[in-house]
Amino acid sequence: MANEQCSNELSCDKTSEKPYLLDSSTFSSEKMNNFGEFRFDSNRSMNSSIRFSNNDCTVEWLEPSMAVWIPVETKAKLHSGKWSLEFDVEWMGTHQIGVGFLLDWNIGSDWGFFGYLGSSSSAWSYDPSTGDIVTNTESIHGNLPKFTGNSGVIGLELDLPKNEIGKFTFIVDGVRTPTKQLSNSGAVAIPAVCLLSRGQKVTIRNLVRLNQD
């Protein structure tokens, strides 16, 4: 990909600025206290095959679609502290599924050239069907816990200090996976999911700010 930061052509057309990852250490006092909304961005999704419910905290792929996968991000913008949240995968089926987060840019999030979660270098996804952490289209850690059935819960802990490199940990049905480092300090994280099969259903829940930086 020649310029993965500009993989979203619409975003790049809207600004002449050079794309850069947001840095919370530069935020104004007003922006420092803005963490968005912990719900899926139903207005942004253009795919009519999915349904949002539970105050937009649940997304489900219901109708047939030509899409191979459907990416869905939340309205949350987490930064400046430690956070925890959960993805309740209510139905995975026998297909892959991705849950995780993207880092925020000045032009918006980057889903990468292929458009699935973990396709870009500023997004990380956990796939409980294979037990892999994926970023930049590659598995950076495999042979991790998998779901034993068609459902399960994946926790995510995000350590996002303003002036240090951040890190994150996935927790699969109560089992912690190795902590991984982010690419920059002052990172702003957007929780997201990627559905890869009709019938898949995910609920986001239990967002907690563990401490502030």
Side-chain angles (χ1 to χ4, degrees), residues 25-63:
S25 69
T26 67
F27 285 178
S28 65
S29 57
E30 180 180 0
K31 195 169 184 180
M32 185 63 68
N33 293 311
N34 184 358
F35 305 106
E37 300 176 60
F38 188 56
R39 65 183 67 190
F40 289 113
D41 193 349
S42 58
N43 293 327
R44 183 168 179 170
S45 177
M46 304 299 291
N47 196 308
S48 60
S49 299
I50 59 176
R51 181 182 68 184
F52 296 93
S53 59
N54 187 27
N55 200 26
D56 286 346
C57 288
T58 298
V59 62
E60 183 177 9
W61 186 341
L62 287 177
E63 303 298 331

PDB file of all heavy atoms in Angstrom, residues 25-63:
ATOM      1  N   SER A  25      -1.051  14.116  24.543  1.00  0.00           N
ATOM      2  CA  SER A  25      -0.278  15.096  25.313  1.00  0.00           C
ATOM      3  C   SER A  25      -0.425  16.503  24.749  1.00  0.00           C
ATOM      4  O   SER A  25      -0.094  17.482  25.417  1.00  0.00           O
ATOM      5  CB  SER A  25       1.203  14.706  25.351  1.00  0.00           C
ATOM      6  OG  SER A  25       1.802  14.846  24.073  1.00  0.00           O
ATOM      7  N   THR A  26      -0.937  16.614  23.521  1.00  0.00           N
ATOM      8  CA  THR A  26      -1.125  17.924  22.889  1.00  0.00           C
ATOM      9  C   THR A  26      -2.565  18.418  22.997  1.00  0.00           C
ATOM     10  O   THR A  26      -2.878  19.503  22.503  1.00  0.00           O
ATOM     11  CB  THR A  26      -0.742  17.855  21.399  1.00  0.00           C
ATOM     12  OG1 THR A  26      -1.682  17.014  20.703  1.00  0.00           O
ATOM     13  CG2 THR A  26       0.658  17.289  21.220  1.00  0.00           C
ATOM     14  N   PHE A  27      -3.442  17.658  23.639  1.00  0.00           N
ATOM     15  CA  PHE A  27      -4.860  18.011  23.696  1.00  0.00           C
ATOM     16  C   PHE A  27      -5.100  19.241  24.573  1.00  0.00           C
ATOM     17  O   PHE A  27      -4.420  19.446  25.585  1.00  0.00           O
ATOM     18  CB  PHE A  27      -5.686  16.851  24.252  1.00  0.00           C
ATOM     19  CG  PHE A  27      -5.894  15.720  23.281  1.00  0.00           C
ATOM     20  CD1 PHE A  27      -6.599  14.581  23.666  1.00  0.00           C
ATOM     21  CD2 PHE A  27      -5.402  15.770  21.992  1.00  0.00           C
ATOM     22  CE1 PHE A  27      -6.802  13.537  22.788  1.00  0.00           C
ATOM     23  CE2 PHE A  27      -5.595  14.725  21.097  1.00  0.00           C
ATOM     24  CZ  PHE A  27      -6.303  13.608  21.498  1.00  0.00           C
ATOM     25  N   SER A  28      -6.103  20.012  24.193  1.00  0.00           N
ATOM     26  CA  SER A  28      -6.575  21.110  25.032  1.00  0.00           C
ATOM     27  C   SER A  28      -7.279  20.530  26.255  1.00  0.00           C
ATOM     28  O   SER A  28      -7.600  19.336  26.303  1.00  0.00           O
ATOM     29  CB  SER A  28      -7.553  21.981  24.245  1.00  0.00           C
ATOM     30  OG  SER A  28      -8.720  21.234  23.923  1.00  0.00           O
ATOM     31  N   SER A  29      -7.537  21.373  27.253  1.00  0.00           N
ATOM     32  CA  SER A  29      -8.208  20.896  28.466  1.00  0.00           C
ATOM     33  C   SER A  29      -9.597  20.353  28.142  1.00  0.00           C
ATOM     34  O   SER A  29     -10.059  19.379  28.749  1.00  0.00           O
ATOM     35  CB  SER A  29      -8.314  22.025  29.491  1.00  0.00           C
ATOM     36  OG  SER A  29      -8.988  23.145  28.940  1.00  0.00           O
ATOM     37  N   GLU A  30     -10.269  20.948  27.166  1.00  0.00           N
ATOM     38  CA  GLU A  30     -11.598  20.464  26.775  1.00  0.00           C
ATOM     39  C   GLU A  30     -11.510  19.099  26.116  1.00  0.00           C
ATOM     40  O   GLU A  30     -12.270  18.177  26.444  1.00  0.00           O
ATOM     41  CB  GLU A  30     -12.252  21.463  25.821  1.00  0.00           C
ATOM     42  CG  GLU A  30     -13.641  21.040  25.367  1.00  0.00           C
ATOM     43  CD  GLU A  30     -14.272  22.039  24.413  1.00  0.00           C
ATOM     44  OE1 GLU A  30     -13.630  23.064  24.107  1.00  0.00           O
ATOM     45  OE2 GLU A  30     -15.406  21.787  23.975  1.00  0.00           O
ATOM     46  N   LYS A  31     -10.559  18.942  25.198  1.00  0.00           N
ATOM     47  CA  LYS A  31     -10.420  17.670  24.492  1.00  0.00           C
ATOM     48  C   LYS A  31      -9.878  16.585  25.410  1.00  0.00           C
ATOM     49  O   LYS A  31     -10.168  15.402  25.229  1.00  0.00           O
ATOM     50  CB  LYS A  31      -9.508  17.847  23.278  1.00  0.00           C
ATOM     51  CG  LYS A  31      -9.593  16.701  22.280  1.00  0.00           C
ATOM     52  CD  LYS A  31      -8.886  17.036  20.982  1.00  0.00           C
ATOM     53  CE  LYS A  31      -9.065  15.917  19.969  1.00  0.00           C
ATOM     54  NZ  LYS A  31      -8.383  16.227  18.684  1.00  0.00           N
ATOM     55  N   MET A  32      -9.101  16.979  26.425  1.00  0.00           N
ATOM     56  CA  MET A  32      -8.530  16.008  27.354  1.00  0.00           C
ATOM     57  C   MET A  32      -9.617  15.247  28.104  1.00  0.00           C
ATOM     58  O   MET A  32      -9.421  14.099  28.513  1.00  0.00           O
ATOM     59  CB  MET A  32      -7.609  16.728  28.347  1.00  0.00           C
ATOM     60  CG  MET A  32      -6.851  15.806  29.285  1.00  0.00           C
ATOM     61  SD  MET A  32      -5.717  14.698  28.413  1.00  0.00           S
ATOM     62  CE  MET A  32      -4.510  15.880  27.824  1.00  0.00           C
ATOM     63  N   ASN A  33     -10.774  15.870  28.286  1.00  0.00           N
ATOM     64  CA  ASN A  33     -11.874  15.236  29.015  1.00  0.00           C
ATOM     65  C   ASN A  33     -12.950  14.672  28.095  1.00  0.00           C
ATOM     66  O   ASN A  33     -14.048  14.350  28.543  1.00  0.00           O
ATOM     67  CB  ASN A  33     -12.499  16.246  29.980  1.00  0.00           C
ATOM     68  CG  ASN A  33     -11.547  16.639  31.088  1.00  0.00           C
ATOM     69  OD1 ASN A  33     -10.946  15.781  31.719  1.00  0.00           O
ATOM     70  ND2 ASN A  33     -11.389  17.939  31.316  1.00  0.00           N
ATOM     71  N   ASN A  34     -12.628  14.554  26.816  1.00  0.00           N
ATOM     72  CA  ASN A  34     -13.584  14.020  25.842  1.00  0.00           C
ATOM     73  C   ASN A  34     -13.143  12.614  25.440  1.00  0.00           C
ATOM     74  O   ASN A  34     -12.084  12.436  24.837  1.00  0.00           O
ATOM     75  CB  ASN A  34     -13.644  14.932  24.619  1.00  0.00           C
ATOM     76  CG  ASN A  34     -14.693  14.486  23.620  1.00  0.00           C
ATOM     77  OD1 ASN A  34     -15.366  13.468  23.806  1.00  0.00           O
ATOM     78  ND2 ASN A  34     -14.832  15.234  22.538  1.00  0.00           N
ATOM     79  N   PHE A  35     -13.964  11.610  25.770  1.00  0.00           N
ATOM     80  CA  PHE A  35     -13.638  10.216  25.461  1.00  0.00           C
ATOM     81  C   PHE A  35     -14.660   9.582  24.514  1.00  0.00           C
ATOM     82  O   PHE A  35     -14.698   8.363  24.362  1.00  0.00           O
ATOM     83  CB  PHE A  35     -13.544   9.401  26.752  1.00  0.00           C
ATOM     84  CG  PHE A  35     -12.565   9.980  27.739  1.00  0.00           C
ATOM     85  CD1 PHE A  35     -13.009  10.648  28.869  1.00  0.00           C
ATOM     86  CD2 PHE A  35     -11.201   9.887  27.513  1.00  0.00           C
ATOM     87  CE1 PHE A  35     -12.112  11.201  29.771  1.00  0.00           C
ATOM     88  CE2 PHE A  35     -10.289  10.436  28.407  1.00  0.00           C
ATOM     89  CZ  PHE A  35     -10.745  11.095  29.538  1.00  0.00           C
ATOM     90  N   GLY A  36     -15.471  10.426  23.878  1.00  0.00           N
ATOM     91  CA  GLY A  36     -16.465   9.916  22.948  1.00  0.00           C
ATOM     92  C   GLY A  36     -17.582   9.172  23.656  1.00  0.00           C
ATOM     93  O   GLY A  36     -17.840   9.377  24.845  1.00  0.00           O
ATOM     94  N   GLU A  37     -18.242   8.282  22.924  1.00  0.00           N
ATOM     95  CA  GLU A  37     -19.352   7.494  23.467  1.00  0.00           C
ATOM     96  C   GLU A  37     -19.055   6.011  23.279  1.00  0.00           C
ATOM     97  O   GLU A  37     -18.646   5.587  22.195  1.00  0.00           O
ATOM     98  CB  GLU A  37     -20.656   7.831  22.744  1.00  0.00           C
ATOM     99  CG  GLU A  37     -21.084   9.274  22.841  1.00  0.00           C
ATOM    100  CD  GLU A  37     -22.325   9.523  22.003  1.00  0.00           C
ATOM    101  OE1 GLU A  37     -23.369   8.885  22.274  1.00  0.00           O
ATOM    102  OE2 GLU A  37     -22.256  10.328  21.064  1.00  0.00           O
ATOM    103  N   PHE A  38     -19.289   5.231  24.327  1.00  0.00           N
ATOM    104  CA  PHE A  38     -19.021   3.797  24.261  1.00  0.00           C
ATOM    105  C   PHE A  38     -20.222   3.083  23.652  1.00  0.00           C
ATOM    106  O   PHE A  38     -21.043   2.480  24.342  1.00  0.00           O
ATOM    107  CB  PHE A  38     -18.694   3.254  25.648  1.00  0.00           C
ATOM    108  CG  PHE A  38     -18.208   1.824  25.637  1.00  0.00           C
ATOM    109  CD1 PHE A  38     -17.119   1.449  24.869  1.00  0.00           C
ATOM    110  CD2 PHE A  38     -18.837   0.859  26.409  1.00  0.00           C
ATOM    111  CE1 PHE A  38     -16.662   0.137  24.854  1.00  0.00           C
ATOM    112  CE2 PHE A  38     -18.390  -0.457  26.413  1.00  0.00           C
ATOM    113  CZ  PHE A  38     -17.303  -0.816  25.629  1.00  0.00           C
ATOM    114  N   ARG A  39     -20.325   3.183  22.350  1.00  0.00           N
ATOM    115  CA  ARG A  39     -21.361   2.509  21.570  1.00  0.00           C
ATOM    116  C   ARG A  39     -20.889   2.451  20.122  1.00  0.00           C
ATOM    117  O   ARG A  39     -20.014   3.213  19.708  1.00  0.00           O
ATOM    118  CB  ARG A  39     -22.692   3.250  21.669  1.00  0.00           C
ATOM    119  CG  ARG A  39     -22.682   4.639  21.059  1.00  0.00           C
ATOM    120  CD  ARG A  39     -24.010   5.350  21.251  1.00  0.00           C
ATOM    121  NE  ARG A  39     -24.262   5.649  22.649  1.00  0.00           N
ATOM    122  CZ  ARG A  39     -25.421   6.088  23.111  1.00  0.00           C
ATOM    123  NH1 ARG A  39     -26.436   6.251  22.287  1.00  0.00           N
ATOM    124  NH2 ARG A  39     -25.577   6.364  24.388  1.00  0.00           N
ATOM    125  N   PHE A  40     -21.457   1.529  19.357  1.00  0.00           N
ATOM    126  CA  PHE A  40     -21.074   1.440  17.956  1.00  0.00           C
ATOM    127  C   PHE A  40     -21.574   2.666  17.190  1.00  0.00           C
ATOM    128  O   PHE A  40     -22.624   3.235  17.514  1.00  0.00           O
ATOM    129  CB  PHE A  40     -21.641   0.172  17.319  1.00  0.00           C
ATOM    130  CG  PHE A  40     -20.979  -1.090  17.797  1.00  0.00           C
ATOM    131  CD1 PHE A  40     -21.685  -2.020  18.553  1.00  0.00           C
ATOM    132  CD2 PHE A  40     -19.654  -1.350  17.498  1.00  0.00           C
ATOM    133  CE1 PHE A  40     -21.081  -3.184  18.999  1.00  0.00           C
ATOM    134  CE2 PHE A  40     -19.034  -2.512  17.941  1.00  0.00           C
ATOM    135  CZ  PHE A  40     -19.748  -3.428  18.695  1.00  0.00           C
ATOM    136  N   ASP A  41     -20.824   3.044  16.173  1.00  0.00           N
ATOM    137  CA  ASP A  41     -21.185   4.198  15.355  1.00  0.00           C
ATOM    138  C   ASP A  41     -22.135   3.735  14.252  1.00  0.00           C
ATOM    139  O   ASP A  41     -21.728   3.493  13.117  1.00  0.00           O
ATOM    140  CB  ASP A  41     -19.922   4.831  14.762  1.00  0.00           C
ATOM    141  CG  ASP A  41     -20.192   6.197  14.167  1.00  0.00           C
ATOM    142  OD1 ASP A  41     -21.381   6.556  14.021  1.00  0.00           O
ATOM    143  OD2 ASP A  41     -19.221   6.908  13.839  1.00  0.00           O
ATOM    144  N   SER A  42     -23.409   3.614  14.604  1.00  0.00           N
ATOM    145  CA  SER A  42     -24.405   3.088  13.665  1.00  0.00           C
ATOM    146  C   SER A  42     -24.629   4.027  12.490  1.00  0.00           C
ATOM    147  O   SER A  42     -24.998   3.585  11.396  1.00  0.00           O
ATOM    148  CB  SER A  42     -25.729   2.822  14.388  1.00  0.00           C
ATOM    149  OG  SER A  42     -26.211   4.009  15.002  1.00  0.00           O
ATOM    150  N   ASN A  43     -24.406   5.314  12.669  1.00  0.00           N
ATOM    151  CA  ASN A  43     -24.605   6.271  11.578  1.00  0.00           C
ATOM    152  C   ASN A  43     -23.526   6.156  10.512  1.00  0.00           C
ATOM    153  O   ASN A  43     -23.738   6.510   9.357  1.00  0.00           O
ATOM    154  CB  ASN A  43     -24.623   7.700  12.128  1.00  0.00           C
ATOM    155  CG  ASN A  43     -25.828   7.964  13.003  1.00  0.00           C
ATOM    156  OD1 ASN A  43     -26.903   7.419  12.762  1.00  0.00           O
ATOM    157  ND2 ASN A  43     -25.653   8.782  14.027  1.00  0.00           N
ATOM    158  N   ARG A  44     -22.360   5.656  10.906  1.00  0.00           N
ATOM    159  CA  ARG A  44     -21.243   5.562   9.971  1.00  0.00           C
ATOM    160  C   ARG A  44     -21.327   4.310   9.104  1.00  0.00           C
ATOM    161  O   ARG A  44     -20.785   4.274   8.007  1.00  0.00           O
ATOM    162  CB  ARG A  44     -19.926   5.575  10.750  1.00  0.00           C
ATOM    163  CG  ARG A  44     -18.695   5.549   9.886  1.00  0.00           C
ATOM    164  CD  ARG A  44     -17.453   5.846  10.691  1.00  0.00           C
ATOM    165  NE  ARG A  44     -16.259   5.791   9.872  1.00  0.00           N
ATOM    166  CZ  ARG A  44     -15.070   6.198  10.267  1.00  0.00           C
ATOM    167  NH1 ARG A  44     -14.922   6.709  11.464  1.00  0.00           N
ATOM    168  NH2 ARG A  44     -14.027   6.110   9.470  1.00  0.00           N
ATOM    169  N   SER A  45     -21.990   3.282   9.605  1.00  0.00           N
ATOM    170  CA  SER A  45     -22.062   2.026   8.859  1.00  0.00           C
ATOM    171  C   SER A  45     -23.009   2.162   7.675  1.00  0.00           C
ATOM    172  O   SER A  45     -24.159   2.570   7.817  1.00  0.00           O
ATOM    173  CB  SER A  45     -22.532   0.892   9.768  1.00  0.00           C
ATOM    174  OG  SER A  45     -22.657  -0.297   9.031  1.00  0.00           O
ATOM    175  N   MET A  46     -22.512   1.807   6.490  1.00  0.00           N
ATOM    176  CA  MET A  46     -23.303   1.923   5.268  1.00  0.00           C
ATOM    177  C   MET A  46     -23.905   0.583   4.849  1.00  0.00           C
ATOM    178  O   MET A  46     -24.560   0.494   3.824  1.00  0.00           O
ATOM    179  CB  MET A  46     -22.416   2.462   4.131  1.00  0.00           C
ATOM    180  CG  MET A  46     -21.735   3.785   4.442  1.00  0.00           C
ATOM    181  SD  MET A  46     -22.912   5.117   4.770  1.00  0.00           S
ATOM    182  CE  MET A  46     -23.597   5.326   3.137  1.00  0.00           C
ATOM    183  N   ASN A  47     -23.664  -0.477   5.636  1.00  0.00           N
ATOM    184  CA  ASN A  47     -24.118  -1.806   5.246  1.00  0.00           C
ATOM    185  C   ASN A  47     -25.465  -2.115   5.902  1.00  0.00           C
ATOM    186  O   ASN A  47     -25.572  -2.170   7.126  1.00  0.00           O
ATOM    187  CB  ASN A  47     -23.075  -2.852   5.646  1.00  0.00           C
ATOM    188  CG  ASN A  47     -23.290  -4.165   4.933  1.00  0.00           C
ATOM    189  OD1 ASN A  47     -24.380  -4.715   4.952  1.00  0.00           O
ATOM    190  ND2 ASN A  47     -22.240  -4.675   4.294  1.00  0.00           N
ATOM    191  N   SER A  48     -26.486  -2.327   5.088  1.00  0.00           N
ATOM    192  CA  SER A  48     -27.837  -2.575   5.603  1.00  0.00           C
ATOM    193  C   SER A  48     -28.026  -4.009   6.078  1.00  0.00           C
ATOM    194  O   SER A  48     -29.099  -4.359   6.573  1.00  0.00           O
ATOM    195  CB  SER A  48     -28.871  -2.257   4.515  1.00  0.00           C
ATOM    196  OG  SER A  48     -28.664  -3.079   3.374  1.00  0.00           O
ATOM    197  N   SER A  49     -26.993  -4.844   5.943  1.00  0.00           N
ATOM    198  CA  SER A  49     -27.107  -6.243   6.354  1.00  0.00           C
ATOM    199  C   SER A  49     -26.943  -6.426   7.852  1.00  0.00           C
ATOM    200  O   SER A  49     -27.191  -7.509   8.372  1.00  0.00           O
ATOM    201  CB  SER A  49     -26.057  -7.094   5.627  1.00  0.00           C
ATOM    202  OG  SER A  49     -26.247  -7.032   4.233  1.00  0.00           O
ATOM    203  N   ILE A  50     -26.489  -5.391   8.552  1.00  0.00           N
ATOM    204  CA  ILE A  50     -26.282  -5.507   9.990  1.00  0.00           C
ATOM    205  C   ILE A  50     -27.343  -4.721  10.752  1.00  0.00           C
ATOM    206  O   ILE A  50     -27.937  -3.782  10.227  1.00  0.00           O
ATOM    207  CB  ILE A  50     -24.871  -5.035  10.408  1.00  0.00           C
ATOM    208  CG1 ILE A  50     -24.635  -3.576   9.995  1.00  0.00           C
ATOM    209  CG2 ILE A  50     -23.814  -5.938   9.802  1.00  0.00           C
ATOM    210  CD1 ILE A  50     -23.294  -3.025  10.466  1.00  0.00           C
ATOM    211  N   ARG A  51     -27.570  -5.145  11.989  1.00  0.00           N
ATOM    212  CA  ARG A  51     -28.550  -4.475  12.841  1.00  0.00           C
ATOM    213  C   ARG A  51     -27.888  -4.089  14.155  1.00  0.00           C
ATOM    214  O   ARG A  51     -27.139  -4.876  14.745  1.00  0.00           O
ATOM    215  CB  ARG A  51     -29.741  -5.385  13.124  1.00  0.00           C
ATOM    216  CG  ARG A  51     -30.817  -4.713  13.996  1.00  0.00           C
ATOM    217  CD  ARG A  51     -31.955  -5.654  14.297  1.00  0.00           C
ATOM    218  NE  ARG A  51     -31.532  -6.743  15.186  1.00  0.00           N
ATOM    219  CZ  ARG A  51     -32.320  -7.751  15.547  1.00  0.00           C
ATOM    220  NH1 ARG A  51     -33.554  -7.829  15.070  1.00  0.00           N
ATOM    221  NH2 ARG A  51     -31.873  -8.693  16.351  1.00  0.00           N
ATOM    222  N   PHE A  52     -28.195  -2.879  14.606  1.00  0.00           N
ATOM    223  CA  PHE A  52     -27.715  -2.399  15.897  1.00  0.00           C
ATOM    224  C   PHE A  52     -28.863  -2.438  16.896  1.00  0.00           C
ATOM    225  O   PHE A  52     -30.011  -2.144  16.557  1.00  0.00           O
ATOM    226  CB  PHE A  52     -27.182  -0.970  15.781  1.00  0.00           C
ATOM    227  CG  PHE A  52     -25.977  -0.843  14.892  1.00  0.00           C
ATOM    228  CD1 PHE A  52     -26.123  -0.533  13.545  1.00  0.00           C
ATOM    229  CD2 PHE A  52     -24.702  -1.042  15.389  1.00  0.00           C
ATOM    230  CE1 PHE A  52     -25.015  -0.423  12.717  1.00  0.00           C
ATOM    231  CE2 PHE A  52     -23.585  -0.935  14.574  1.00  0.00           C
ATOM    232  CZ  PHE A  52     -23.746  -0.625  13.231  1.00  0.00           C
ATOM    233  N   SER A  53     -28.557  -2.795  18.135  1.00  0.00           N
ATOM    234  CA  SER A  53     -29.558  -2.836  19.198  1.00  0.00           C
ATOM    235  C   SER A  53     -28.867  -2.544  20.524  1.00  0.00           C
ATOM    236  O   SER A  53     -27.670  -2.243  20.559  1.00  0.00           O
ATOM    237  CB  SER A  53     -30.248  -4.211  19.229  1.00  0.00           C
ATOM    238  OG  SER A  53     -29.297  -5.244  19.448  1.00  0.00           O
ATOM    239  N   ASN A  54     -29.639  -2.634  21.615  1.00  0.00           N
ATOM    240  CA  ASN A  54     -29.056  -2.463  22.946  1.00  0.00           C
ATOM    241  C   ASN A  54     -28.349  -1.111  23.057  1.00  0.00           C
ATOM    242  O   ASN A  54     -27.208  -1.018  23.504  1.00  0.00           O
ATOM    243  CB  ASN A  54     -28.088  -3.621  23.234  1.00  0.00           C
ATOM    244  CG  ASN A  54     -27.555  -3.639  24.648  1.00  0.00           C
ATOM    245  OD1 ASN A  54     -28.202  -3.152  25.569  1.00  0.00           O
ATOM    246  ND2 ASN A  54     -26.359  -4.197  24.809  1.00  0.00           N
ATOM    247  N   ASN A  55     -29.063  -0.048  22.619  1.00  0.00           N
ATOM    248  CA  ASN A  55     -28.503   1.311  22.661  1.00  0.00           C
ATOM    249  C   ASN A  55     -27.211   1.395  21.852  1.00  0.00           C
ATOM    250  O   ASN A  55     -26.259   2.086  22.233  1.00  0.00           O
ATOM    251  CB  ASN A  55     -28.257   1.751  24.111  1.00  0.00           C
ATOM    252  CG  ASN A  55     -28.160   3.260  24.247  1.00  0.00           C
ATOM    253  OD1 ASN A  55     -28.721   4.013  23.447  1.00  0.00           O
ATOM    254  ND2 ASN A  55     -27.440   3.720  25.263  1.00  0.00           N
ATOM    255  N   ASP A  56     -27.184   0.687  20.728  1.00  0.00           N
ATOM    256  CA  ASP A  56     -26.037   0.632  19.810  1.00  0.00           C
ATOM    257  C   ASP A  56     -24.802  -0.013  20.435  1.00  0.00           C
ATOM    258  O   ASP A  56     -23.677   0.198  19.961  1.00  0.00           O
ATOM    259  CB  ASP A  56     -25.671   2.025  19.278  1.00  0.00           C
ATOM    260  CG  ASP A  56     -26.664   2.531  18.238  1.00  0.00           C
ATOM    261  OD1 ASP A  56     -27.473   1.716  17.744  1.00  0.00           O
ATOM    262  OD2 ASP A  56     -26.636   3.728  17.924  1.00  0.00           O
ATOM    263  N   CYS A  57     -24.992  -0.828  21.461  1.00  0.00           N
ATOM    264  CA  CYS A  57     -23.873  -1.569  22.048  1.00  0.00           C
ATOM    265  C   CYS A  57     -23.787  -2.997  21.516  1.00  0.00           C
ATOM    266  O   CYS A  57     -22.844  -3.729  21.840  1.00  0.00           O
ATOM    267  CB  CYS A  57     -23.984  -1.590  23.574  1.00  0.00           C
ATOM    268  SG  CYS A  57     -23.617   0.006  24.334  1.00  0.00           S
ATOM    269  N   THR A  58     -24.767  -3.403  20.707  1.00  0.00           N
ATOM    270  CA  THR A  58     -24.769  -4.731  20.091  1.00  0.00           C
ATOM    271  C   THR A  58     -24.890  -4.585  18.585  1.00  0.00           C
ATOM    272  O   THR A  58     -25.679  -3.776  18.093  1.00  0.00           O
ATOM    273  CB  THR A  58     -25.942  -5.582  20.619  1.00  0.00           C
ATOM    274  OG1 THR A  58     -25.792  -5.757  22.030  1.00  0.00           O
ATOM    275  CG2 THR A  58     -25.977  -6.948  19.945  1.00  0.00           C
ATOM    276  N   VAL A  59     -24.088  -5.365  17.850  1.00  0.00           N
ATOM    277  CA  VAL A  59     -24.181  -5.391  16.393  1.00  0.00           C
ATOM    278  C   VAL A  59     -24.293  -6.846  15.947  1.00  0.00           C
ATOM    279  O   VAL A  59     -23.645  -7.731  16.505  1.00  0.00           O
ATOM    280  CB  VAL A  59     -22.962  -4.702  15.730  1.00  0.00           C
ATOM    281  CG1 VAL A  59     -21.654  -5.408  16.072  1.00  0.00           C
ATOM    282  CG2 VAL A  59     -23.145  -4.607  14.222  1.00  0.00           C
ATOM    283  N   GLU A  60     -25.147  -7.081  14.941  1.00  0.00           N
ATOM    284  CA  GLU A  60     -25.386  -8.441  14.454  1.00  0.00           C
ATOM    285  C   GLU A  60     -25.523  -8.421  12.937  1.00  0.00           C
ATOM    286  O   GLU A  60     -26.192  -7.556  12.368  1.00  0.00           O
ATOM    287  CB  GLU A  60     -26.666  -8.990  15.085  1.00  0.00           C
ATOM    288  CG  GLU A  60     -26.990 -10.417  14.710  1.00  0.00           C
ATOM    289  CD  GLU A  60     -28.227 -10.928  15.436  1.00  0.00           C
ATOM    290  OE1 GLU A  60     -28.920 -10.113  16.085  1.00  0.00           O
ATOM    291  OE2 GLU A  60     -28.497 -12.144  15.357  1.00  0.00           O
ATOM    292  N   TRP A  61     -24.872  -9.373  12.282  1.00  0.00           N
ATOM    293  CA  TRP A  61     -24.978  -9.522  10.825  1.00  0.00           C
ATOM    294  C   TRP A  61     -26.176 -10.423  10.549  1.00  0.00           C
ATOM    295  O   TRP A  61     -26.131 -11.624  10.776  1.00  0.00           O
ATOM    296  CB  TRP A  61     -23.693 -10.120  10.278  1.00  0.00           C
ATOM    297  CG  TRP A  61     -23.621 -10.195   8.774  1.00  0.00           C
ATOM    298  CD1 TRP A  61     -24.654 -10.131   7.890  1.00  0.00           C
ATOM    299  CD2 TRP A  61     -22.434 -10.362   7.990  1.00  0.00           C
ATOM    300  NE1 TRP A  61     -24.201 -10.242   6.598  1.00  0.00           N
ATOM    301  CE2 TRP A  61     -22.836 -10.385   6.627  1.00  0.00           C
ATOM    302  CE3 TRP A  61     -21.085 -10.502   8.294  1.00  0.00           C
ATOM    303  CZ2 TRP A  61     -21.918 -10.546   5.586  1.00  0.00           C
ATOM    304  CZ3 TRP A  61     -20.179 -10.661   7.261  1.00  0.00           C
ATOM    305  CH2 TRP A  61     -20.589 -10.675   5.924  1.00  0.00           C
ATOM    306  N   LEU A  62     -27.257  -9.830  10.005  1.00  0.00           N
ATOM    307  CA  LEU A  62     -28.513 -10.554   9.847  1.00  0.00           C
ATOM    308  C   LEU A  62     -28.825 -10.970   8.416  1.00  0.00           C
ATOM    309  O   LEU A  62     -29.285 -12.087   8.171  1.00  0.00           O
ATOM    310  CB  LEU A  62     -29.674  -9.697  10.369  1.00  0.00           C
ATOM    311  CG  LEU A  62     -29.789  -9.532  11.883  1.00  0.00           C
ATOM    312  CD1 LEU A  62     -30.942  -8.598  12.203  1.00  0.00           C
ATOM    313  CD2 LEU A  62     -30.000 -10.882  12.546  1.00  0.00           C
ATOM    314  N   GLU A  63     -28.621 -10.069   7.470  1.00  0.00           N
ATOM    315  CA  GLU A  63     -29.087 -10.290   6.105  1.00  0.00           C
ATOM    316  C   GLU A  63     -27.948 -10.715   5.178  1.00  0.00           C
ATOM    317  O   GLU A  63     -26.784 -10.419   5.433  1.00  0.00           O
ATOM    318  CB  GLU A  63     -29.732  -9.009   5.561  1.00  0.00           C
ATOM    319  CG  GLU A  63     -30.887  -8.488   6.395  1.00  0.00           C
ATOM    320  CD  GLU A  63     -32.045  -9.465   6.462  1.00  0.00           C
ATOM    321  OE1 GLU A  63     -32.225 -10.235   5.491  1.00  0.00           O
ATOM    322  OE2 GLU A  63     -32.767  -9.457   7.470  1.00  0.00           O
TER     323      GLU A  63
END
